[in-house]
Amino acid sequence: MTALLFDLPPVVTIPVVGEAAHYPVGRIFCVGRNYAAHAAEMGFEVDREAPFYFTKSAASAVLTGATVAYPPGTENYHHEMELVIAIGAPVFRADAAEARAAIYAMGCGLDMTRRDLQIASRSKQRPWDLGKDVEDSAVFAPLTPAAQVGPVGPQRIHLAVNGEIRQDATLDELIWKLDEIIVDLSQFYHLRPGDLIMTGTPAGVGPVVAGDTITGGIDGLEGISLTIAPAE
Ligand code: MN
């Protein structure tokens, strides 16, 4: 075996309800503007032309219950509560049935965002990385196998900051449904186990500050929490 000059941090792994083994985080894909009311609050009308994506580094993943420092370079760090899909089988150029079969599990996630930097880069037609690929910004709750979740639609998705509700919607409001996202994304990537897809956030995004605790949930899934510590 080839010796390494240094060790990297271990891959982040997510517990799965009813399973002894964890789900290792490979790649993190994120869908933009997938709820009309959130698109509107960001100043956009929704179109059905095609979904769009950005990514977060797998190294930015943390598990629910974490306390993370307020990140550098922002004065407007936002919460985004999201449904997460965990891919469980290789899938490329999927049809709808193959897309549904590739969903291994679902979970709650937080797509924490340096909103000021995202908006600045957007207005300059630059990439979103500084706004979105933030250290410790991809937060995951334990996953629930898809077979135990049932049809996605009526479930409530909600988020509170210090107990005060900020985001409250249902999964019926997803513009691009789960199979449609996988069908489209798999035109561009060989999706495989370890790939997580954050499916977008409903309306009500907003800032957090040091000392805040975020709690969120989706009916039928394990809840999520994150506490923001002072900046380093
Ligand atoms: Mn998001």
Side-chain angles (χ1 to χ4, degrees):
M1 193 161 147
T2 305
L4 300 179
L5 289 167
F6 52 86
D7 291 324
L8 291 172
V11 168
V12 175
T13 69
I14 308 174
V16 180
V17 172
E19 289 281 350
H22 284 204
Y23 184 97
V25 178
R27 297 183 290 187
I28 304 171
F29 299 96
C30 306
V31 183
R33 294 177 210 144
N34 205 20
Y35 291 76
H38 171 62
E41 75 182 351
M42 297 297 291
F44 293 90
E45 279 186 36
V46 166
D47 62 58
R48 284 281 297 183
E49 187 183 334
F52 72 93
Y53 311 98
F54 55 91
T55 58
K56 288 176 178 272
S57 162
S60 70
V62 296
L63 294 181
T64 179
T67 297
V68 302
Y70 193 90
T74 182
E75 294 181 352
N76 197 21
Y77 197 43
H78 272 208
H79 56 78
E80 295 193 358
M81 177 69 204
E82 313 211 357
L83 171 67
V84 176
I85 308 169
I87 296 293
V91 62
F92 181 57
R93 295 178 179 149
D95 63 24
E98 291 166 338
R100 282 189 289 274
I103 301 175
Y104 165 68
M106 299 181 210
C108 290
L110 297 172
D111 166 17
M112 300 299 296
T113 301
R114 286 191 277 229
R115 189 72 69 201
D116 41 2
L117 299 193
Q118 182 205 11
I119 290 172
S121 59
R122 199 180 64 195
S123 63
K124 292 176 182 171
Q125 299 189 311
R126 290 175 179 169
W128 287 11
D129 298 51
L130 286 180
K132 285 294 193 178
D133 192 10
V134 181
E135 290 171 348
D136 299 330
S137 72
V139 188
F140 297 104
L143 299 167
T144 299
Q148 298 175 32
V149 178
V152 166
Q155 294 91 343
R156 180 174 171 237
I157 177 172
H158 53 91
L159 177 146
V161 177
N162 304 326
E164 179 184 320
I165 286 285
R166 298 271 192 92
Q167 296 186 267
D168 198 352
T170 70
L171 299 179
D172 280 322
E173 295 178 45
L174 281 164
I175 295 166
W176 298 98
K177 307 305 183 190
L178 306 188
D179 56 346
E180 294 176 318
I181 294 166
I182 294 168
V183 166
D184 186 73
L185 190 60
S186 73
Q187 307 304 309
F188 303 94
Y189 295 94
H190 294 77
L191 297 179
R192 59 188 186 230
D195 287 342
L196 295 160
I197 305 172
M198 306 188 93
T199 59
T201 195
V205 301
V208 293
V209 297
D212 283 350
T213 294
I214 300 166
T215 53
I218 297 172
D219 292 344
L221 300 179
E222 298 289 306
I224 195 165
S225 69
L226 182 73
T227 297
I228 308 297
E232 292 170 340

